[in-house]
Amino acid sequence: MINDDILIVKNLKKYYPVSKISLGKNRAYVKAVDDVSFTIKRGTTMGLVGESGCGKTTVGRTILRLHEVTGGKVMFDGKDLTEVSSRELRKMRPQIQMIFQDPYSSLSPRLPVGEIIGEAVKEHNIVPKDQYRSYILKVMRDCGLQPQYFYRYPHEFSGGQRQRISIARAVALNPKFIICDEPLSALDVSIQAQIINLMKDLQEQYGYTYLFISHDLSVVEYISDTIGVMYLGSIMEMGDKKRIFANPMHPYTKALLSAVPVSNPDVKMNRIILKGDIPSPINPPSGCKFRTRCPNAMPICAKKTPIFKEYEEGHRVACHLYSQD
Amino acid sequence: MGLLKKLKRGKIEGVDNTTYLTLKDERRISKENNKIIKMYEKEKNRKHVPEEEYLTQMRDPSNVVEFDNLHTYFYTDVGTVKSVNGVSFDIPQGKIVGVVGESGCGKSVTSLSLMQLVQGPTGQIVDGSIRYQDKEGKCYEITKMPKDKMLKIRGKDIAMIFQEPMTSLNPVFKIGDQMDEVVLLHTEGATPESAKARSIEMLNLVGIAAVEKIYNSYPHELSGGMRQRVMIAMALSCNPRLIIADEPTTALDVTIQAQILELLREVKEKINGSIMLITHDLGVIAEMVDFVVVMYAGRIIEKGTVQEIFHNPKHPYTIGLMKSRPGSHNITEDRLYSIKGQVPNPINMPNHCYFYNRCDKAMDICSREYPAMIRFSPTHFAACHLYNEDGSDKSEEEKERR
Ligand SMILES: Nc1ncnc2c1ncn2[C@@H]1O[C@H](COP(=O)(O)OP(=O)(O)O)[C@@H](O)[C@H]1O
Ligand SMILES: Nc1ncnc2c1ncn2[C@@H]1O[C@H](COP(=O)(O)OP(=O)(O)O)[C@@H](O)[C@H]1O
Ligand code: SF4
Ligand code: SF4
Ligand SMILES: [Mg+2]
Ligand SMILES: [Mg+2]
């Protein structure tokens, strides 16, 4: 039987040592990702949301092994990426691609568009040499880029067009899985809609699986099938998109959803205003990491870390409010 | 090397730019620019300008600010950027006016014009007026006001909050010292002690808990949300009549944005002032403002009350913007509505509707004439050929004919 889960992340940890402060024996660490587990079904999109610094980018980068993991497993199509040799990893590279937030710094200014898209295609022999040009042009067409752009340079393009070039570069390698790290955040609303549609069309046509990282809940709601809500390096709630939006269980998810401004002047949100700032990931609060800002915090929340438990099918929550035991 | 071989491209952010200039063109542009700039700078640097020259009357005394056909241009080496190209709108006393539009459409330059902070000498207000009414009911023509007089208004009667507070906070001075300085500068008879008391009072007002600690901190020691609170406290310390907030929450996370927006609303009530809120986020607009101004490529394409703009938008661009934002209302649709193409090059603006190349309602006439502002109500206006002068929709035959 074919395994339907393309990616299984288990107890993923990534700690960065804090270089400046070395506290004698106990070195301080930024616990950027702290015990994160999730799975993504082939051909679906998982949205990863949370405020800046909560560890979304680090999750993406450790999956790709751009950073070595501190602990945990990343099973991609049955292989543990944390254990494969670098040679094997290089061979697998085309299958997992990444699209970045900043379309200005992520494209080499010295290469023409055709080269940017084709560089890795040549390196990995994705198509026979004689088909190379027509292949690149086809990818460009798929991504809404005109053929005459082939010889032009990135600086001649606006943010939206550059993001199309980044997408074309990823797609050209015929990947199975694409990690999209805030691909819309630097773009204007009208351009965002164009790029979302492009990503959806490509997924439909080629069956890509996406991990879509964003702080924008409306965008995530639109594009995702499942959603994970992160806070201070941990996933607080995870599940089917419809469940999360219709029935958010974790107090943080509730606050996050209620904070999104609604484009309707007649709707007055019953807003949960969280107090204070996000604590430092170097020294996160004991027990539940959200407790310092949680409107529902109880004594137990400081003592015990809540377990990440399944309450409905595929709907997991880490919160003491629900775990009466 | 042949002159013609040296190609240079204009670097206008966010826009496809395909104008190529020869070195000769560049020299010509630069020479022309220098002449124009010199003329404006001379006018600006006049000393001892009599007050009559910049006193004026408001069109409507219930307004704090009236922009009237404002034109602010940048004379750059690659040509003239018409950043603000005929903008007119009012900021009524006690109201929040939201200015919305895509990046580069001229929102910030409009507000900088009001503060006399357009980056010179390339940037100049070339036409139109900006009228400002102070607390005593005296009205000033900002575009003609001498710099030293403007200093008394800026930061005191009109305060500013920016997207990135770090740009307006000095990194080497403590928060408290910077706040005190503002008070000392703008309050007659203020002493260091009274200034500190005022700063502390303001920090309390914006909901900062550990006031003394923040007062003694350096800007980089604070989080983004905390810095924005400090900026708001600083803005409030002189009892401003108008706060200009340029994307004040764009760099913040949603939960922090919610805190800051709530704070701005409270603050407005406390000072009984007005706010000009610049943002690209329609949700923030819907939530916060009384009046909306929608800008596109340096011009206002639609303006009205928040109800009019959200419930009865008239301009295809406004309609498109609302539809292209994913939200619960259109989540069931398989594809998101999207406006095709992109904003035109600001150096070579067409002489027809600027939205023509992106509009799915475009007609022949749209490629020939820039549409006039049509009045739909005393407060609601839009510039589009789809409507008759009286605000009614043009019939199908009429559209055909055109
Ligand atoms: N290379 C690094 N070295 C040290 N700390 C890092 C590094 N990259 C990220 N961090 C820290 O890890 C945390 C998570 O960062 P990141 O994954 O970028 O969050 P997000 O993408 O959700 O904004 C932050 O506190 C950040 O400062
Ligand atoms: N100092 C400057 N020199 C040249 N052009 C400028 C300058 N400041 C702004 N512009 C141009 O003016 C236009 C409007 O800019 P701005 O008001 O900052 O847009 P917004 O705030 O709506 O994003 C843009 O095309 C921008 O490139
Ligand atoms: S475990 Fe306690 S502090 Fe954490 S989210 Fe639940 S109620 Fe709040
Ligand atoms: S004037 Fe014409 S092109 Fe411009 S917005 Fe109206 S219908 Fe569209
Ligand atoms: Mg990130
Ligand atoms: Mg701006």
Side-chain angles (χ1 to χ4, degrees), chain A residues 51-58 101 181-182 213:
Chain A
E51 297 175 274
S52 54
C54 70
K56 306 180 294 297
T57 296
T58 306
Q101 165 171 355
D181 192 357
E182 309 252 13
I213 296 172

Side-chain angles (χ1 to χ4, degrees), chain A residues 189-190 193, chain B residues 319-326 330 336-339:
Chain A
V189 177
S190 75
Chain B
I319 297 169
L321 267 190
M322 309 242 180
K323 278 201 291 191
S324 55
R325 184 75 196 128
N330 53 13
L336 204 53
Y337 176 84
S338 80
I339 302 173

Side-chain angles (χ1 to χ4, degrees), chain B residues 201-225:
Chain B
E201 184 192 342
M202 290 303 118
L203 288 172
N204 269 315
L205 187 76
V206 298
I208 288 175
V211 172
E212 279 287 344
K213 190 174 147 221
I214 299 295
Y215 184 90
N216 286 309
S217 306
Y218 288 94
H220 69 265
E221 295 173 321
L222 309 182
S223 67

Side-chain angles (χ1 to χ4, degrees), chain A residues 69-215:
Chain A
V69 299
T70 306
K73 274 187 194 310
V74 177
M75 305 293 293
F76 177 76
D77 251 350
K79 273 205 185 97
D80 188 346
L81 291 184
T82 63
E83 285 183 346
V84 297
S85 68
S86 47
R87 222 177 114 226
E88 201 166 353
L89 189 69
R90 208 190 78 85
K91 250 173 54 199
M92 290 176 74
R93 266 278 179 263
Q95 296 180 37
I96 313 176
Q97 286 297 304
M98 189 151 181
I99 299 165
F100 300 92
Q101 165 171 355
D102 184 0
Y104 288 88
S105 61
S106 57
L107 301 177
S108 161
R110 282 181 299 276
L111 294 180
V113 169
E115 273 302 299
I116 290 177
I117 299 170
E119 206 180 14
V121 172
K122 281 188 208 153
E123 190 189 326
H124 291 281
N125 293 316
I126 303 291
V127 287
K129 268 207 179 88
D130 57 329
Q131 286 164 36
Y132 170 75
R133 214 185 123 84
S134 62
Y135 176 74
I136 300 296
L137 287 173
K138 176 185 161 294
V139 170
M140 286 175 66
R141 192 170 352 105
D142 278 352
C143 295
L145 295 164
Q146 294 168 23
Q148 65 265 33
Y149 293 172
F150 194 91
Y151 293 112
R152 290 178 46 186
Y153 288 83
H155 69 259
E156 297 178 44
F157 295 93
S158 62
Q161 300 285 47
R162 285 177 197 225
Q163 210 52 301
R164 286 181 193 272
I165 299 169
S166 312
I167 293 172
R169 177 176 58 182
V171 164
L173 295 174
N174 204 6
K176 292 182 184 161
F177 178 51
I178 306 180
I179 299 173
C180 318
D181 192 357
E182 309 252 13
L184 308 174
S185 303
L187 308 177
D188 274 312
V189 177
S190 75
I191 307 299
Q192 283 188 4
Q194 295 176 1
I195 301 295
I196 297 181
N197 284 337
L198 171 64
M199 293 183 60
K200 277 208 144 183
D201 290 348
L202 288 170
Q203 183 171 46
E204 216 158 89
Q205 201 173 346
Y206 298 106
Y208 300 139
T209 307
Y210 290 137
L211 175 63
F212 192 94
I213 296 172
S214 177
H215 66 276

Side-chain angles (χ1 to χ4, degrees), chain A residues 40-81:
Chain A
I40 310 182
K41 282 205 165 42
R42 196 179 303 277
T44 67
T45 301
M46 169 159 168
L48 199 54
V49 293
E51 297 175 274
S52 54
C54 70
K56 306 180 294 297
T57 296
T58 306
V59 167
R61 289 182 169 259
T62 39
I63 289 174
L64 272 177
R65 247 175 83 181
L66 293 176
H67 294 321
E68 290 300 324
V69 299
T70 306
K73 274 187 194 310
V74 177
M75 305 293 293
F76 177 76
D77 251 350
K79 273 205 185 97
D80 188 346
L81 291 184

Side-chain angles (χ1 to χ4, degrees), chain B residues 315-316 353 355-356 359 361-363 366 371 383-386:
Chain B
H315 196 284
C353 176
F355 194 54
Y356 175 70
C359 182
K361 297 248 169 61
M363 306 165 282
C366 308
C384 175
H385 287 301
L386 286 173

Side-chain angles (χ1 to χ4, degrees), chain B residues 340-351:
Chain B
K340 63 182 186 229
Q342 51 212 329
V343 183
N345 180 334
I347 289 182
N348 302 314
M349 290 313 275
N351 53 5

